[in-house]
C-alpha cells in the first residue's frame, strides 16, 4: 500500500508544532516529517512559494541536527524544482544555509570563550615552601592549557567543519550554471574569508584545487550545454577574475606561496589571449606578481619582480591608479637585479605576458628612459652612481648618506642593492688590479658601517664566495694572505690595447683639439641641421606613402581572406563530417582490437605476476613485449636453470677459497705459537705486579681521604642534630594541625553523608510506596480486563457453536436431497433400460420383415385406415408424429438410451407391434424439449452420427449400435441432424 500523501504546507505546520515542544524527540520527528516531503514524487509540482519556507525550515533542522548529507540532497532536489522558475529563491535558500552555519560557528565560539573564562586559575605555589603531596597532585592533574584545547576541540571544531561543508555543498549546488553564477562567486568570497579568519590552510588548498579549478575546467569542457558558463561574456569574466584575485590575496595573507603561484596561473589562464581585459584588473594582477616575486629571492625572482613592476606601471597608468611610489619601485627593482646572466624560465615569462626573457640591462634602460625624471633626487643619484659613472673609490662615500635617507617603501630593496654595489665594486677593481687585499676592499666599504649595508670580514668573504659560485666574478680568495686574486679571461682583447684606448680617451677629454673658429662652427651646425630637416621630411613622405599602400594591401588581403575563409570553412565542415564518420568507424574497430589485446595482455600479465610472486621469474616484465603463456614458462625454466648453475659455481669457488685460506693460516701460525706463549707469560707477569702496586697505593690514599672527611663531619655533627630536631618538631606540629583539620573535615563529611543517606532512604521509601500503589492499581485493572476478555471469549464460543450446528443441519439436508436425487436417477435409469430393450426387439422385428421382403416370401400391404388410426397416425400416407423423449442429463449410457428411445418412437412400420408402449414423458426435473417434425418431402434423413445413403439403411451411431431399416416414401426418421 503506497504511503499516504501529506500536503507540504500541512507537513510544515506539523513540524512547527513539534518544534514548539522543544525536546530532542520532537525535533527528530519534525525532521523526519520534512524528509518525507522532499522524498515525495509530487515535490516538483508544488509551487515555489510553498516549498521555500519548507526548504528554509528543513535547512534549520539540518544545521541543528548536524545532517550534512540530508542538507545536500534537499538542496539538490530544491534546485531541480526551482531553477527554471525562481533563481532568486535558490539564492535565498543557499544564503540562509550559509548564514545558519556561520551563526552556529559564532555561537560555538562564544560558548567556548565563556567556558574558558570560567576555568579556575592555577594556584600560585611559593617556591620557598617545601613540596607537599597535595601540591604535587594538583600540578599533575590541573592543566589549563589542555582544558582550553579540549573545550575548543569539543565546541569549535565541529562547528568549523560544518561551516566548511556548508560552503562546499553550496558551491557544488551553484556550479556550472550561469543563472547561479553570482551566488557562486559570493559563496566563494565568503569561503575565502572563512579560511583567512580561522587560518584553515588545508581547507583553502582543498577549496582552490578540488572545487574552484575543477569547476572552471568543467565549465570550459561543457560550455556547449544549456545554461553553461560563458567566459566570453565580459561581466562573467570580470566576476571570475575578481574571485581569482581575492583567492590570490588570501593565499598571500596565509603565506601559501605555492597556492598563490597556482592562483596567478589561474588568472593568466583567464586573461591570456583576451583583448577586452580592464587595465585596472591587469594592474592588480601584476601587483600580486610583485608580491610573489620578491626582490631578495635571487637572480630568478629579482628579474621577474622588476619585470612585474614595469608591467604594473604600464597598466596602472592606463587605468589612472598610479601611486607616487610606483616609479621609484620600478627603478629600484631594476637596479636591484643581480649582475650576470639569468636562466630562461618560459613558464614565468608567459605569466608576465612578455615576448622574451627579461634581462637586467633592458629593464634598467627602460626604467631610466620612462621613470628617471619622475623619481626623487636621491634615487636619480643612486642610478647615476651605479649605472652612469661608477667610481670605486668614492661610490661608497656618496651612497652611504643616500641609503639612510630612503623612505620606508624602498627599504625592501636595500639588501639586493648591497649585493649589486659590492659586485660592481669588485668588477671595477678586477679591471685594474690582479690581486687586491681584503682589507683594501673593507676600507672602500667602510662608509657603510653605520648603515644597513654594514660589511665585516666574514660577510665580505661570504659575499665573494657566493659571487664566485654564481659566476658574477672570476677570482680566488687566499684566506692565509687575506687577498683576492682575479683570473683574467684569455678570450678578452689585449690589456695593453685597452689601456691605450683609455689613455687616448682621457687625453681627448682633458685637452680636446681646438675648433678653427666660432663662425665656422655655427655655419657647420646650421648646414647639418638643414640636412637633417630635409632627411626627416623625406622620411615622413616615405612613411606616409608606405602607410597608404599598406592600408590598401590590408583591405585587399582581408577581402581575399574572408572569401577564402568561407570556402575553407565549408570544405572543412564537409571534411570534418567525413572524418567524423571515419573516425567513429575506426574508433569502434580500434576499441574492439584494443579490448582483445588488453584481454590477452591481462591474462599474460596475471600469469607473469603469479610467477613473479612465487619467486620463479626474476625478469623485468614491463620491458618484455608480446607476452604469452608459453614464452613465460620457457623464461621461468631458463631462469631457474641459470640460477641453479650460478649458485653451484659460487659454492664451489667459495669452498675452495676457504680451504686454501685456512690451510695457509694454519701453516704460518704453527712456528709462532711458542713465541707468542712466552711473550704472553712475560706481559701477564709485569701487568699483574703493576696492578698490585696501583691497588695498594689507591687503598692508602682512599683511607686517608675517608679519615679526613670523618674528622670534618664530626665537627659539624652537633649543628646537624640541633637542626634536625628543630625541623622534626616543626613537621610534627604541622602534621598534628593537618590531622586535626582532616578529622574535622571527615566529621563534617560524615554528617553530610548521614543526612544525604537519610534523605535518600526517605525518598526511596516514598518511591516504593508509590510504585506499590501503582502496581496494585495496575493489577486491579488487568484483572478487570481479564474478566472482560473471558466474557467476550465465552460469547464468541457460544456463537461459534451455534454456527457449527447450523452448518451440520445444512449438511444433513444436502445429504438427504442427494439421496433422493440418486433414487430418482436410478428409477429413471431402469425405465430407460426397459425402453431400450423394447427398442431392440422392434429393430429385430423390422430387420426380419426387411429380409422377408427382399426374399419375396411375403407381400407388402398398406395398412388399413383403422389400423393407422389405432396407431395414432393423423392420416393415410402421413408418418406418425414423433413424441419427444427428454432424458435427464447424465453419463454416456443415459445419452445412448435416450437416442435409442427416440429411434423406437419413429419406426417406419405401418403396423406397429401391439406391445409397443406409449412414448415416454419427460421427467419433471428435466427441461422441456422441442419435438422434431418430419421433413415434408418425405426424404430419408440419417440418424445423428450415421451416414446418409439413398435407398439404403442408416448405420446407427453411438446410441445403441442397432441398424435402422430403410425408409419408404412418405416415412421419416426422428432425431436427425440434417
Amino acid at each position: 500500500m503506497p504511503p499516504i500523501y501529506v500536503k507540504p504546507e500541512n507537513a510544515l505546520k506539523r513540524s512547527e508544532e513539534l518544534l514548539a515542544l522543544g525536546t530532542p524527540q520532537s525535533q527528530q520527528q519534525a525532521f523526519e516529517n520534512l524528509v518525507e516531503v522532499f522524498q515525495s514524487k509530487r515535490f516538483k509540482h508544488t509551487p515555489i512559494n510553498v516549498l521555500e519556507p519548507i526548504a528554509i525550515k528543513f535547512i534549520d533542522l539540518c544545521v541543528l541536527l548536524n545532517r550534512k548529507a540530508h542538507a545536500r540532497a534537499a538542496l539538490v532536489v530544491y534546485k531541480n524544482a526551482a531553477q527554471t522558475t525562481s533563481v532568486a529563491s535558490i539564492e535565498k535558500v543557499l544564503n540562509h544555509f550559509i548564514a545558519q552555519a556561520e551563526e552556529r560557528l559564532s555561537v560555538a565560539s562564544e560558548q567556548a570563550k565563556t567556558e574558558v573564562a570560567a576555568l579556575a586559575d592555577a594556584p600560585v605555589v611559593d617556591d620557598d615552601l617545601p613540596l607537599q603531596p597535595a601540591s604535587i597532585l594538583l600540578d599533575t592533574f590541573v592543566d589549563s592549557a589542555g582544558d582550553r584545547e579540549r573545550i575548543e576541540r569539543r565546541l569549535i571544531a565541529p562547528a568549523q567543519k560544518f561551516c566548511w561543508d556548508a560552503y562546499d555543498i553550496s558551491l557544488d549546488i551553484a556550479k556550472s550554471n550561469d543563472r547561479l553564477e553570482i551566488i557562486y562567486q559570493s559563496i566563494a568570497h565568503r569561503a575565502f574569508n572563512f579560511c583567512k579568519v580561522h587560518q584553515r590552510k588545508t581547507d583553502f588548498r582543498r577549496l582552490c584545487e578540488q572545487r574552484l579549478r575543477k569547476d572552471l575546467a568543467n565549465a570550459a569542457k561543457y560550455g556547449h550545454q544549456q545554461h553553461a558558463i560563458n567566459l566570453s561574456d565580459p561581466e562573467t569574466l570580470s566576476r571570475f577574475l575578481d574571485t581569482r584575485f581575492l583567492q590570490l590575496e588570501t593565499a598571500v595573507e596565509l603565506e601559501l606561496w605555492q597556492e598563490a603561484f597556482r592562483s596567478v596561473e589561474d588568472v593568466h589562464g583567464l586573461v591570456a589571449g583576451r583583448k577586452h581585459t580592464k587595465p585596472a584588473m591587469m594592474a592588480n594582477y601584476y601587483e600580486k606578481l610583485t608580491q610573489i616575486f620578491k626582490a631578495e629571492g635571487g637572480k630568478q625572482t629579482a628579474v621577474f619582480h622588476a619585470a612585474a613592476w614595469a608591467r604594473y606601471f604600464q597598466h596602472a597608468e592606463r587605468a589612472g591608479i598610479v601611486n607616487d611610489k610606483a616609479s621609484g619601485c620600478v627603478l629600484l627593482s631594476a637596479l636591484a637585479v643581480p649582475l650576470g646572466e639569468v636562466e630562461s624560465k618560459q613558464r614565468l615569462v608567459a605569466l608576465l605576458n612578455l615576448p622574451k626573457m627579461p634581462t637586467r640591462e633592458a629593464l634598467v634602460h627602460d626604467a631610466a628612459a620612462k621613470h628617471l625624471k619622475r623619481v626623487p633626487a636621491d634615487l636619480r643619484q643612486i642610478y647615476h652612481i651605479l649605472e652612469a659613472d661608477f667610481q670605486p673609490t668614492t661610490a661608497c662615500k656618496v651612497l652611504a648618506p643616500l641609503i639612510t635617507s630612503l623612505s620606508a617603501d624602498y627599504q625592501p630593496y636595500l639588501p639586493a642593492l648591497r649585493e649589486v654595489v659590492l659586485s660592481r665594486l669588485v668588477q671595477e677593481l678586477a679591471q685594474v688590479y690582479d690581486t687586491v687585499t681584503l682589507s683594501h676592499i673593507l676600507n672602500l666599504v667602510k662608509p657603510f658601517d653605520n648603515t644597513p649595508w654594514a660589511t665585516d670580514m666574514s660577510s665580505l668573504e661570504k659575499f665573494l664566495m657566493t659571487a664566485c659560485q654564481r659566476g658574477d666574478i672570476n677570482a680566488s680568495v687566499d684566506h692565509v694572505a687575506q687577498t683576492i686574486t682575479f683570473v683574467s679571461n684569455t678570450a678578452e682583447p689585449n690589456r695593453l690595447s685597452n689601456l691605450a684606448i683609455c689613455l687616448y680617451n682621457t687625453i681627448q677629454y682633458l685637452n680636446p683639439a681646438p675648433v678653427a673658429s666660432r663662425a665656422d662652427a655655427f655655419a657647420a651646425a646650421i648646414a647639418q641641421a638643414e640636412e637633417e630637416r630635409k632627411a626627416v621630411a623625406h622620411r615622413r613622405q616615405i612613411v606616409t606613402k608606405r602607410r597608404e599602400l599598406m592600408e590598401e594591401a590590408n583591405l585587399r588581403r582581408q577581402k581575399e581572406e574572408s572569401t577564402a575563409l568561407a570556402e575553407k570553412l565549408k570544405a572543412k565542415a564537409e571534411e570534418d563530417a567525413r572524418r567524423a564518420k571515419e573516425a567513429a568507424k575506426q574508433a569502434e574497430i580500434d576499441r574492439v582490437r584494443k579490448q582483445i589485446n588488453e584481454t590477452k595482455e591481462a591474462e599474460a600479465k596475471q600469469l607473469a605476476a603469479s610467477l613473479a610472486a612465487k619467486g620463479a621469474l626474476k625478469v623485468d616484465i614491463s620491458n618484455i613485449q608480446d607476452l604469452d603463456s608459453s614464452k613465460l614458462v620457457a623464461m621461468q625454466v631458463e631462469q631457474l636453470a641459470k640460477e641453479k648453475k650460478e649458485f653451484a659455481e659460487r659454492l664451489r669457488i667459495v669452498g675452495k677459497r676457504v680451504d686454501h685460506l685456512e690451510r695457509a693460516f694454519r701453516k704460518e701460525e704453527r712456528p709462532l705459537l711458542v713465541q707468542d706463549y712466552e711473550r704472553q707469560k712475560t706481559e701477564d707477569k709485569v701487568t699483574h705486579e703493576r696492578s698490585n702496586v696501583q691497588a695498594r697505593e689507591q687503598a692508602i690514599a682512599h683511607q686517608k681521604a675517608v679519615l679526613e672527611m670523618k674528622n670534618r663531619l664530626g665537627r659539624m655533627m652537633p649543628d646537624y642534630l640541633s637542626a634536625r630536631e628543630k625541623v622534626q618538631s616543626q613537621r610534627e606540629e604541622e602534621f598534628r594541625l593537618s590531622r586535626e583539620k582532616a578529622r574535622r573535615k571527615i566529621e563534617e563529611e560524615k554528617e553530610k553523608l548521614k543526612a544525604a543517606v537519610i534523605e535518600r532512604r526517605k525518598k526511596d521509601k516514598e518511591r516504593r510506596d508509590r510504585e506499590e500503589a501503582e502496581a496494585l492499581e495496575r493489577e486491579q485493572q488487568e484483572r478487570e480486563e481479564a474478566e472482560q476478555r473471558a466474557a467476550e471469549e465465552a460469547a464468541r464460543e457460544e456463537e461459534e457453536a451455534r454456527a457449527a450446528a447450523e452448518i451440520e443441519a445444512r449438511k444433513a439436508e444436502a445429504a438427504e436431497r442427494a439421496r433422493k436425487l440418486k433414487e430418482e436417477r436410478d428409477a429413471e435409469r431402469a425405465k430407460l433400460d426397459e425402453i431400450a430393450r423394447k427398442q431392440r426387439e422392434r429393430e429385430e422385428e423390422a430387420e426380419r420383415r426387411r429380409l422377408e421382403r427382399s426374399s419375396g416370401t411375403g407381400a407388402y400391404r398398406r395398412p388399413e385406415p383403422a389400423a393407422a388410426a389405432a396407431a395414432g397416425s393423423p392420416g393415410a400416407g402421413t408418418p406418425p408424429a414423433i413424441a419427444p423423449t427428454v432424458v435427464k442429463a447424465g453419463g454416456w449410457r443415459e445419452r445412448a438410451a435416450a437416442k435409442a428411445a427416440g429411434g423406437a418412437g419413429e419406426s417406419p412400420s405401418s403396423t406397429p407391434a401391439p406391445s409397443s408402449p406409449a412414448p415416454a414423458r419427460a421427467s419433471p426435473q428435466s427441461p422441456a424439449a422441442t419435438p422434431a417434425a418430419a421433413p415434408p418431402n418425405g426424404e430419408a434423413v440419417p440418424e445423428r452420427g450415421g451416414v446418409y445413403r439413398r435407398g439404403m439403411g442408416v448405420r446407427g451411431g453411438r446410441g445403441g449400435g442397432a441398424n435402422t431399416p430403410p425408409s419408404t416414401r412418405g416415412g421419416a426418421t426422428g432425431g436427425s441432424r440434417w
Side-chain angles (χ1 to χ4, degrees), residues 157-176:
Q160 287 182 347
K161 182 65 170 61
F162 188 88
C163 188
W164 165 251
D165 290 334
Y167 291 127
D168 185 69
I169 291 170
S170 301
L171 289 174
D172 189 24
I173 296 299
K175 69 179 181 180
S176 302

Side-chain angles (χ1 to χ4, degrees), residues 827-875:
E828 187 175 353
R829 187 178 298 112
K831 187 186 296 183
L832 292 176
D833 291 342
E834 182 64 24
I835 294 171
R837 183 182 61 76
K838 293 178 180 180
Q839 177 67 23
R840 284 195 298 272
E841 292 177 356
R842 285 193 295 270
E843 288 177 356
E844 291 175 359
E845 181 66 24
E847 181 67 19
R848 183 179 58 77
R849 291 176 182 174
R850 187 181 63 80
L851 292 176
E852 290 177 354
R853 283 196 303 271
S854 61
S855 62
T857 56
Y860 174 77
R861 294 183 296 177
R862 185 177 296 274
E864 295 297 333
S873 298

Side-chain angles (χ1 to χ4, degrees), residues 350-404:
L351 287 180
L352 290 169
N353 295 321
L354 295 175
K356 60 180 181 179
M357 181 69 186
T359 59
R360 185 181 187 278
E361 292 76 12
L363 292 171
V364 171
H365 182 268
D366 186 65
K370 295 180 180 179
H371 307 285
L372 191 60
K373 296 181 180 180
R374 304 178 182 179
V375 299
D378 51 355
L379 296 183
R380 286 199 298 270
Q381 192 172 357
I382 291 174
Y383 167 77
H384 286 295
I385 293 172
L386 289 179
E387 300 297 330
D389 186 16
F390 186 83
Q391 299 295 331
T393 56
T394 60
C396 297
K397 295 179 182 179
V398 179
L399 287 173
L402 294 178
I403 62 175
T404 55

